C-alpha cells in the first residue's frame, strides 16, 4: 500500500512522512530527493537550467515509476498533484492524504527559509503572504480531492489510524 502525502510547500510533508514511516517500520520516499538523486541535479538547478515545464515532466515520470508493491509513504512536492493527471493517478494507485495548513502557518514556516524553493526565491518577505494565498487558491481544488484531509499540525495519530484501518 502506498500513502501519498500532499500539501503546500512548508506543510511538513517530508518531516511527518519520514517520522511516521519510521515508526511504522515501512519505507519512505521524498519525491523531490528521489528526483535529485535520479537526475543527479538539485531541484533548484532543474528549475534554473531547464525550467518549470521540464521539471513537471520529470516529476510525473518519477512519481509513476515509484514501486507500488511495498508499504511506503511518499511525500510528493507541493505542485505534484496539480500537474498532468498526477492527483488522479495517486488516488487510483494509493491513498492520498492532504496536510492542510493555514496561510499564516505556511508564511511563518516558509519565511524562515525560502531560498531553496524555486517558486518563491524571487520574492521578498512582504510578498510572501500574497504569493502563498494566490497559489493555494489555485491548488486547493486539486488538494481537496485527496482521500483524507488532516489539519492537525502533528498528523501522526491520524495517519497511523488510517494505515491500521487499511491493513485490516
Ligand atoms: C514545488 C514544491 C517543492 C518542489 C518544487 C516545486 C511546488 O516541493 O517540488 O520546488 O510547486 O509547490 P516541497 O513542497 O517539498 O517544498
Amino acid at each position: 500500500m502506498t500513502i501519498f502525502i500532499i500539501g503546500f510547500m512548508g506543510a511538513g510533508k517530508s518531516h511527518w512522512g519520514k517520522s511516521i514511516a519510521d515508526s511504522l517500520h515501512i519505507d519512505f520516499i521524498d519525491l523531490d530527493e528521489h528526483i535529485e538523486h535520479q537526475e543527479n541535479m538539485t531541484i533548484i538547478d532543474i528549475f534554473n537550467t531547464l525550467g518549470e515545464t521540464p521539471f513537471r515532466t520529470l516529476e510525473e515520470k518519477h512519481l509513476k515509476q515509484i514501486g507500488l508493491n511495498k508499504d511506503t509513504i511518499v511525500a510528493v512536492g507541493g505542485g505534484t498533484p496539480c500537474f498532468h493527471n498526477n492527483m488522479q493517478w495517486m488516488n487510483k494507485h494509493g491513498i492520498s492524504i492532504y496536510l492542510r495548513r493555514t496561510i499564516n502557518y505556511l508564511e511563518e514556516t516558509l519565511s524562515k527559509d525560502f531560498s531553496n524553493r524555486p517558486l518563491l526565491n524571487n520574492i521578498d518577505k512582504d510578498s510572501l503572504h500574497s504569493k502563498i494565498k494566490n497559489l493555494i487558491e489555485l491548488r486547493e481544488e486539486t488538494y481537496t480531492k485527496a482521500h483524507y484531509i488532516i489539519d492537525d499540525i502533528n498528523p501522526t495519530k491520524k495517519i497511523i489510524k488510517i494505515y491500521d484501518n487499511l491493513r485490516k
Side-chain angles (χ1 to χ4, degrees):
M1 176 205 323
T2 310
I3 295 179
F4 295 100
I5 305 201
I6 72 164
F8 205 76
M9 291 172 267
K13 303 178 294 288
S14 303
H15 171 79
W16 294 113
K18 166 109 184 64
S19 128
I20 297 166
D22 283 351
S23 55
L24 290 171
H25 304 291
I26 63 174
D27 287 357
F28 171 73
I29 296 172
D30 176 295
L31 184 62
D32 279 338
E33 274 180 18
H34 178 76
I35 297 171
E36 290 186 331
H37 187 74
Q38 296 289 318
E39 298 298 325
N40 206 11
M41 269 176 109
T42 64
I43 300 295
I44 293 261
D45 285 342
I46 299 175
F47 265 79
N48 289 346
T49 59
L50 306 174
E52 182 171 359
T53 305
F55 170 73
R56 298 301 174 191
T57 306
L58 289 173
E59 185 178 45
E60 179 194 17
K61 176 179 117 183
H62 290 294
L63 170 72
K64 295 183 179 174
Q65 282 175 354
I66 278 172
L68 296 168
N69 46 8
K70 266 174 104 183
D71 284 1
T72 306
I73 294 182
V74 182
V76 302
T80 312
C82 310
F83 290 83
H84 306 286
N85 64 345
N86 295 343
M87 189 67 218
Q88 224 182 328
W89 187 89
M90 290 188 278
N91 278 345
K92 183 164 171 219
H93 292 92
I95 297 299
S96 58
I97 299 178
Y98 170 28
L99 291 192
R100 184 165 59 189
R101 307 297 187 220
T102 62
I103 296 171
N104 286 346
Y105 175 91
L106 295 170
E107 186 183 5
E108 165 86 24
T109 336
L110 290 169
S111 63
K112 289 182 196 128
D113 183 23
F114 54 91
S115 57
N116 63 344
R117 314 226 184 218
L119 287 183
L120 303 176
N121 68 359
N122 286 326
I123 61 168
D124 52 60
K125 274 199 174 177
D126 297 338
S127 328
L128 188 60
H129 187 93
S130 57
K131 177 75 188 178
I132 296 171
K133 187 168 177 283
N134 293 342
L135 257 185
I136 296 244
E137 272 166 19
L138 289 173
R139 292 178 169 184
E140 188 75 3
E141 195 189 333
T142 306
Y143 287 159
T144 52
K145 292 199 164 85
H147 293 125
Y148 297 92
I149 299 177
I150 299 182
D151 295 290
D152 308 31
I153 296 304
N154 181 343
T156 308
K157 271 193 189 153
K158 287 193 179 160
I159 295 184
I160 290 182
K161 199 168 164 202
I162 292 168
Y163 177 81
D164 285 344
N165 284 336
L166 290 166
R167 302 268 311 172
K168 275 183 194 152

